[in-house]
Amino acid sequence: MHKLFIAILFTLVFPNTYTVVTDSSIVEWIGNKVSGSHNGYINLSSGQVILKDKKIEKSELFIDMKTITNIDITNEGSRNYLVNHLKSDDFFDVENFPNSHISFIQSAEDSTSTLLTCDITIKGITNRIKFPVKIILTDDVAIATGTATIDRTKHNIKYKSKTFFKEIGDRFIYDNFTLNFSIYAKLDKGK
């Protein structure tokens, strides 16, 4: 009983560090245009979450922009064209900006979820975003799921944006894109 009390006290008082398991984490992107949408996945290269009193104290996630994939286009040539275009300087300029970064700033909780405020860096440009997450904790695992909406034009991604090209008619791509995520992290036992 004494050991259990000490373990619970240690968990509540001292921060716990969790390392993101990249192979078990999923980040799906969705981009919309007037005539439909495209979606695919992108991989995390690394990440860490520090929890104290079961709340996020610090978190950093690194995204490998070279891993962008598409899953809705069945024709291989068309699919490869889209992926290469997303990697080009019209969009994410992966050659010059191979990584994106999300850094935790603060959180606010309600009865159903946690509202995170984070800085997201894409193409070397950092902007602040807010989005809700659900966090599930077990003895040695933390899982965070949620959806974040990002305005690509704030990261200098203007291709076919009606905000910048008013004369584009119905050939525009919406400024906002969505990231649906499930981040799986394991407790670092030695920390």
Side-chain angles (χ1 to χ4, degrees), residues 11-189:
T11 300
L12 292 175
V13 175
F14 297 100
N16 289 311
T17 301
Y18 293 78
T19 298
V20 172
V21 181
T22 56
D23 291 345
S24 300
S25 298
I26 298 169
V27 181
E28 177 193 24
W29 63 266
I30 302 170
N32 294 291
K33 54 186 180 176
V34 174
S35 59
S37 65
H38 292 298
N39 68 305
Y41 293 99
I42 191 161
N43 295 340
L44 295 173
S45 55
S46 64
Q48 192 174 68
V49 181
I50 297 174
L51 299 176
K52 185 175 181 181
D53 298 333
K54 298 186 177 183
K55 295 179 183 176
I56 298 175
E57 187 171 85
K58 184 178 179 184
S59 176
E60 288 193 297
L61 302 174
F62 295 89
I63 302 168
D64 183 354
M65 300 303 291
K66 299 181 298 296
T67 65
I68 296 172
T69 64
N70 168 267
I71 60 169
D72 67 278
I73 299 175
T74 55
N75 178 279
E76 184 178 358
S78 298
R79 185 174 59 245
N80 289 339
Y81 176 81
L82 174 65
V83 168
N84 288 331
H85 195 196
L86 291 173
K87 291 180 180 180
S88 77
D89 60 3
D90 277 343
F91 286 95
F92 296 102
D93 194 4
V94 170
E95 184 176 340
N96 292 307
F97 301 98
N99 296 292
S100 290
H101 176 252
I102 300 172
S103 180
F104 169 79
I105 301 298
Q106 66 182 22
S107 65
E109 297 187 26
D110 63 27
S111 59
T112 58
S113 66
T114 300
L115 183 67
L116 294 186
T117 301
C118 295
D119 281 346
I120 183 164
T121 303
I122 299 172
K123 291 181 74 171
I125 300 168
T126 302
N127 285 287
R128 193 153 287 180
I129 59 172
K130 293 183 180 182
F131 53 94
V133 297
K134 289 189 177 180
I135 299 172
I136 300 168
L137 291 174
T138 65
D139 289 342
D140 60 354
V141 171
I143 301 170
T145 59
T147 298
T149 301
I150 299 162
D151 181 346
R152 65 187 175 97
T153 63
K154 292 183 176 180
H155 299 274
N156 199 30
I157 304 171
K158 300 175 183 177
Y159 182 79
K160 289 194 176 182
S161 165
K162 201 165 191 173
T163 303
F164 293 93
F165 305 101
K166 309 285 186 200
E167 71 288 348
I168 201 166
D170 63 359
R171 295 175 292 122
F172 69 92
I173 299 170
Y174 289 102
D175 291 345
N176 288 342
F177 70 94
T178 302
L179 296 178
N180 295 321
F181 58 87
S182 178
I183 309 299
Y184 181 93
K186 290 192 81 171
L187 178 66
D188 293 345
K189 299 284 189 175

